[in-house]
Amino acid sequence: MAKRGSHVVRADAAEPGMAKRGSHVIVSTDLFALTEQLCAIPSVSGNERALADDIQERLRTSASKLTVERVGENIVARTDHGRERRIVLGGHLDTVPPNGNQQPRRERDTLHGLGTADMKGGLAILLDLAAKVSADPARHDVTLIFYEGEEVADEHNGLRKLFRDHRELVTGDVAILLEPTSGWVEAGCQGTIHVQATFDGARAHSARPWMGVNAIHKAVPLLERVASFEAATVDVDGLDYRESLQVVRIEGGIANNVVPDRCAVVVNRRYAPNKSLDDAIEELRAICAGADHVDVLNASQAAPPNLWNPLVAELIGVYNLPVRPKLGWTDVARFSAHGIPALNLGPGDPELAHTAEERLERADLEGCAKVLASFIGC
Amino acid sequence: MAKRGSHVVRADAAEPGMAKRGSHVIVSTDLFALTEQLCAIPSVSGNERALADDIQERLRTSASKLTVERVGENIVARTDHGRERRIVLGGHLDTVPPNGNQQPRRERDTLHGLGTADMKGGLAILLDLAAKVSADPARHDVTLIFYEGEEVADEHNGLRKLFRDHRELVTGDVAILLEPTSGWVEAGCQGTIHVQATFDGARAHSARPWMGVNAIHKAVPLLERVASFEAATVDVDGLDYRESLQVVRIEGGIANNVVPDRCAVVVNRRYAPNKSLDDAIEELRAICAGADHVDVLNASQAAPPNLWNPLVAELIGVYNLPVRPKLGWTDVARFSAHGIPALNLGPGDPELAHTAEERLERADLEGCAKVLASFIGC
């Protein structure tokens, strides 16, 4: 099922018309222009309000038949036609900080700039779908989630808040996150754990190191173990999940003439969805043996690829979408933890997200929109 | 000559009288009370002016026959009787920042507080010697140096400035620094070098570490080499100089979800005075092989113990002083670099310097004062 050779099936180049805002009937949305407009509204994490207001207003005017709820800077728009299945589609409003690329810039069929790929192209598709299912009820019921705080610490994640306080708003039979995947289905996701291993020493003047205990030297066996660790590649449902283990931060010492009495090492473990979170934490603690303290900074379970799920299988099969495993953690694991099969599928190159070269191709955007519209039957 | 079993020869307990300030004849100074007064004037590095003013005023009133020069917050007081030999004695005015011990506190014959050992007891002895050689010319000519900025970066060191701009003021046949040694002669000093070894990597999302280069992992071979290094103990003039090599600081990584693209490691080498600075730097660079950049942060040559020098031999022999090697770097190396044999000899426990437990015993102070006064013949 995995490792398909074919690339994403592109939709035929749509003839983009102008969005008729203010009317209740949308014939065709110029998704490319809409993405550019959304990118022109800055929405770095913590500052999503202006974009949330803009999207709420767009929903009011072009998707008036949907039930729209606003919770903080999170917006949930839903149909309620009593269909057998409910498809949840979600995208985050926030971007990482700009990297000289705050202003979107269009160059023929390429849109350059912050948020083009991650993930305002996806938000444009969600708005387009909202207008479509408002105008004409679809085969499935649909829930569209626009949420805040995805690019920062989990405590700020809007989807987390929605699941905690309004679970009924975000539940469904399958969830699709429009994270940039270049139109691939990125199935499931690996789990991720960060631990901080701290080594205690004893200060002394650096001229007499034998009077103290060098905390950085104490950390060396752990550093060796991690640097030489041979991470496995694990097959789950025919997908290769490539695990990893690495030190992502280290800090030790307080002054050049003092034997360091503390060294803190942050280790990141990424593990395949065949393993439970508890087992992964236990393995990581064993690797950190010798540290004086091991604190779990965050620990997220993996999400299985769910390729057996009928809706997932249909999406992949009917449109002959290429499938690959998702190695980074995304909010699909949050849906998965709540019993909702989920996958990533969206326009934009994930490798360019968070870089100054972030950009989006018109064909990628429109192809992805067409697949999703067809899948939900609108 | 080294490793003597006997401890410092204490002077008989002097009957301390009151210093007669304002008179030109000092019968006896209560060194302990004077030390307490000097400690009551804060003089953290960079803020030595009040203490320098106080000392200048004391010299004016109680050592009026000396030639006194003030250069910034440095004071040099000298006799000029045309003697064959000139003994230089020096002490720094500054202290490290307080550690809850700013106010001196006397408890019977123990004076607690910042600067008591490092090194206002030594400054009190210098003031006492100044009064004595002013009242009655000594066997040798004497230069007394009170200087700023010893506890901080070399660029602030007052002795450095004096050697650079007024070398004639600070030269002599032998130099004694009144750094706390508990009355031992701490001979020569080890050299010290700090290098920063920097490793470059390439950022990538931490979910795909193989797309980047982990700079912290690149540093591990260096860390292993340093942590497992077996430093030598080197015999120079019968003194055991215990060398060392250690990592004193490390910093790497910018965020928990990014493959670290930089890791900086500060390595400190302490080496015995049988080695030249250039050779020691070359050895250290070899240890840092594999780093992308190696920057020498500071490099100070070692000072030989000079136990063969007639004045040094006399000081040690006549008073049967115990001798040990100085492992930390001190300004004796600065004198040594200018061709002036130098040693450390002062009251106070060096192990308590820079700690909250810093203190000074009356007998240690008075014993040291008596030895030095006798040595210069006043």
Side-chain angles (χ1 to χ4, degrees):
Chain A
M1 198 176 286
K3 301 165 196 153
R4 292 156 189 249
S6 67
H7 204 275
V8 63
V9 176
R10 302 291 179 196
D12 295 330
E15 191 63 41
M18 291 300 290
K20 296 190 176 57
R21 289 182 57 191
S23 148
H24 285 197
V25 179
I26 300 291
V27 174
S28 173
T29 302
D30 181 345
L31 285 170
F32 207 53
L34 176 54
T35 302
E36 186 174 6
Q37 289 164 23
L38 297 177
C39 289
I41 303 170
S43 62
V44 174
S45 308
N47 294 282
E48 295 95 335
R49 178 162 299 175
L51 182 58
D53 289 347
D54 179 84
I55 284 174
Q56 191 170 14
E57 177 61 15
R58 288 177 193 270
L59 290 169
R60 192 183 67 76
T61 55
S62 67
S64 61
K65 291 188 182 159
L66 301 191
T67 307
V68 175
E69 308 267 358
R70 173 122 175 204
V71 180
E73 311 309 340
N74 305 287
I75 300 165
V76 183
R78 296 187 303 159
T79 63
D80 198 3
H81 300 301
R83 300 285 195 258
E84 197 179 341
R85 303 287 183 191
R86 176 174 292 277
I87 313 295
V88 180
L89 298 109
H92 59 82
L93 300 171
D94 59 325
T95 68
V96 295
N99 193 352
N101 61 351
Q102 175 65 72
Q103 276 305 314
R105 179 175 56 82
R106 203 199 289 211
E107 195 177 17
R108 294 190 186 165
D109 287 337
T110 304
L111 184 62
H112 298 267
L114 178 66
T116 51
D118 191 11
M119 53 179 287
K120 295 184 181 178
L123 299 182
I125 293 175
L126 294 183
L127 284 170
D128 184 43
L129 293 175
K132 286 190 164 80
V133 299
S134 177
D136 191 9
R139 182 162 68 100
H140 302 295
D141 270 316
V142 175
T143 299
L144 303 161
I145 306 171
F146 304 83
Y147 65 101
E148 63 182 325
E150 193 271 347
E151 298 287 9
V152 285
D154 191 58
E155 69 198 77
H156 305 295
N157 188 296
L159 203 52
R160 177 172 175 274
K161 295 175 192 167
L162 291 170
F163 267 109
R164 186 189 61 200
D165 301 333
H166 304 277
R167 187 175 168 174
E168 74 288 354
L169 287 183
V170 289
T171 197
D173 294 289
V174 71
I176 300 171
L177 287 178
L178 281 83
E179 293 282 350
T181 66
S182 296
W184 287 61
V185 169
E186 292 192 341
C189 76
Q190 296 206 119
T192 180
I193 307 168
H194 287 89
V195 295
Q196 177 166 298
T198 310
F199 295 82
D200 297 332
R203 290 189 197 181
H205 194 287
S206 62
R208 292 179 291 274
W210 50 89
M211 303 287 288
V213 177
N214 189 310
I216 299 173
H217 290 198
K218 272 180 75 180
V220 171
L222 168 63
L223 299 173
E224 287 177 29
R225 246 178 343 257
V226 174
S228 64
F229 186 84
E230 297 199 5
T233 294
V234 179
D235 182 315
V236 181
D237 286 3
L239 299 179
D240 280 344
Y241 286 88
R242 186 168 172 184
E243 299 188 332
S244 62
L245 179 73
Q246 67 177 328
V247 177
V248 289
R249 297 190 93 152
I250 187 167
E251 191 171 5
I254 55 147
N256 287 354
N257 62 347
V258 177
V259 175
D261 64 346
R262 183 173 181 276
C263 183
V265 180
V266 178
V267 180
N268 180 216
R269 172 70 167 146
R270 305 271 176 167
Y271 64 97
N274 68 330
K275 198 171 288 167
S276 76
L277 179 58
D278 286 348
D279 286 352
I281 290 176
E282 196 176 324
E283 270 184 26
L284 190 48
R285 284 190 181 276
I287 288 166
C288 293
D292 293 295
H293 319 277
V294 178
D295 299 305
V296 177
L297 302 182
N298 53 64
S300 302
Q301 64 182 53
N306 295 310
L307 300 185
W308 50 264
N309 177 277
L311 286 167
V312 174
E314 177 193 327
L315 174 65
I316 294 169
V318 172
Y319 304 97
N320 193 29
L321 298 180
V323 181
R324 62 187 173 199
K326 181 70 182 175
L327 302 181
W329 192 90
T330 78
D331 274 312
V332 299
R334 198 182 307 278
F335 284 101
S336 184
H338 286 90
I340 304 166
L343 54 82
N344 305 284
L345 170 60
D349 183 345
E351 301 294 330
L352 297 181
H354 301 198
T355 76
E357 286 71 43
E358 182 173 354
R359 59 180 179 264
L360 181 65
E361 305 297 333
R362 178 192 286 273
D364 188 6
L365 176 69
E366 292 176 354
C368 194
K370 191 145 181 175
V371 165
L372 289 172
S374 173
F375 175 61
I376 65 176
C378 64
Chain B
M1 200 177 282
K3 300 165 195 156
R4 291 156 189 250
S6 66
H7 205 277
V8 61
V9 175
R10 303 291 180 195
D12 295 330
E15 190 63 41
M18 292 301 288
K20 294 188 176 60
R21 288 183 57 192
S23 147
H24 285 196
V25 179
I26 301 292
V27 174
S28 173
T29 302
D30 181 346
L31 285 170
F32 206 53
L34 176 55
T35 302
E36 185 175 7
Q37 290 164 23
L38 297 177
C39 289
I41 303 170
S43 63
V44 173
S45 308
N47 294 283
E48 295 95 334
R49 178 163 299 173
L51 182 58
D53 289 347
D54 179 84
I55 284 174
Q56 192 170 13
E57 176 61 15
R58 288 178 194 268
L59 290 169
R60 191 184 66 77
T61 55
S62 67
S64 61
K65 291 187 182 159
L66 301 192
T67 307
V68 175
E69 308 267 358
R70 172 119 177 208
V71 180
E73 311 308 341
N74 305 287
I75 300 166
V76 183
R78 297 187 303 159
T79 63
D80 197 4
H81 300 301
R83 301 285 195 255
E84 196 181 344
R85 303 287 185 191
R86 175 174 293 279
I87 313 294
V88 179
L89 298 109
H92 59 81
L93 298 171
D94 59 325
T95 68
V96 295
N99 195 351
N101 61 350
Q102 175 65 75
Q103 276 304 316
R105 180 175 56 82
R106 203 198 290 212
E107 196 176 17
R108 293 190 188 163
D109 286 337
T110 304
L111 184 62
H112 299 266
L114 178 65
T116 50
D118 192 10
M119 51 181 287
K120 295 185 180 178
L123 299 182
I125 292 175
L126 294 183
L127 284 170
D128 184 43
L129 293 176
K132 286 191 166 82
V133 299
S134 175
D136 191 9
R139 183 164 67 101
H140 302 296
D141 270 315
V142 174
T143 299
L144 303 161
I145 307 172
F146 303 84
Y147 66 101
E148 64 182 325
E150 194 271 347
E151 297 288 8
V152 286
D154 191 58
E155 69 198 78
H156 304 294
N157 188 295
L159 202 51
R160 178 173 173 273
K161 295 175 192 166
L162 291 170
F163 267 111
R164 186 189 61 200
D165 301 332
H166 303 277
R167 187 174 168 175
E168 74 288 354
L169 288 183
V170 289
T171 198
D173 294 288
V174 71
I176 300 171
L177 286 178
L178 281 82
E179 293 283 350
T181 66
S182 295
W184 287 61
V185 168
E186 292 192 342
C189 75
Q190 294 207 120
T192 180
I193 307 168
H194 288 88
V195 296
Q196 178 167 299
T198 311
F199 295 82
D200 297 332
R203 290 189 197 181
H205 194 286
S206 61
R208 293 178 291 275
W210 50 88
M211 304 286 289
V213 177
N214 189 310
I216 299 172
H217 290 198
K218 272 180 76 179
V220 171
L222 168 63
L223 298 173
E224 288 176 27
R225 245 178 345 257
V226 173
S228 65
F229 186 85
E230 298 200 2
T233 295
V234 179
D235 182 315
V236 181
D237 285 4
L239 299 178
D240 280 344
Y241 287 89
R242 186 167 172 183
E243 299 187 332
S244 62
L245 179 73
Q246 67 177 330
V247 177
V248 289
R249 298 189 93 151
I250 187 167
E251 191 171 5
I254 55 148
N256 287 354
N257 62 348
V258 177
V259 175
D261 64 345
R262 184 173 180 277
C263 183
V265 180
V266 178
V267 181
N268 180 216
R269 172 72 167 144
R270 304 271 175 167
Y271 64 97
N274 68 330
K275 199 171 289 167
S276 77
L277 179 58
D278 286 348
D279 286 352
I281 290 176
E282 197 177 323
E283 270 184 26
L284 190 48
R285 284 190 181 276
I287 288 167
C288 294
D292 293 295
H293 318 276
V294 178
D295 299 306
V296 177
L297 302 181
N298 53 62
S300 301
Q301 64 183 52
N306 294 311
L307 300 185
W308 50 265
N309 177 277
L311 285 167
V312 173
E314 177 194 324
L315 173 65
I316 294 169
V318 172
Y319 304 98
N320 192 28
L321 298 180
V323 181
R324 61 188 174 199
K326 181 70 183 175
L327 302 182
W329 192 90
T330 77
D331 274 311
V332 299
R334 197 181 305 279
F335 283 101
S336 184
H338 286 89
I340 304 166
L343 53 82
N344 304 283
L345 170 59
D349 183 346
E351 301 293 331
L352 298 180
H354 302 197
T355 76
E357 286 71 44
E358 183 174 353
R359 60 181 178 266
L360 181 66
E361 305 297 332
R362 179 192 286 271
D364 189 4
L365 177 69
E366 293 176 353
C368 195
K370 192 146 181 176
V371 165
L372 289 171
S374 173
F375 175 61
I376 63 177
C378 64

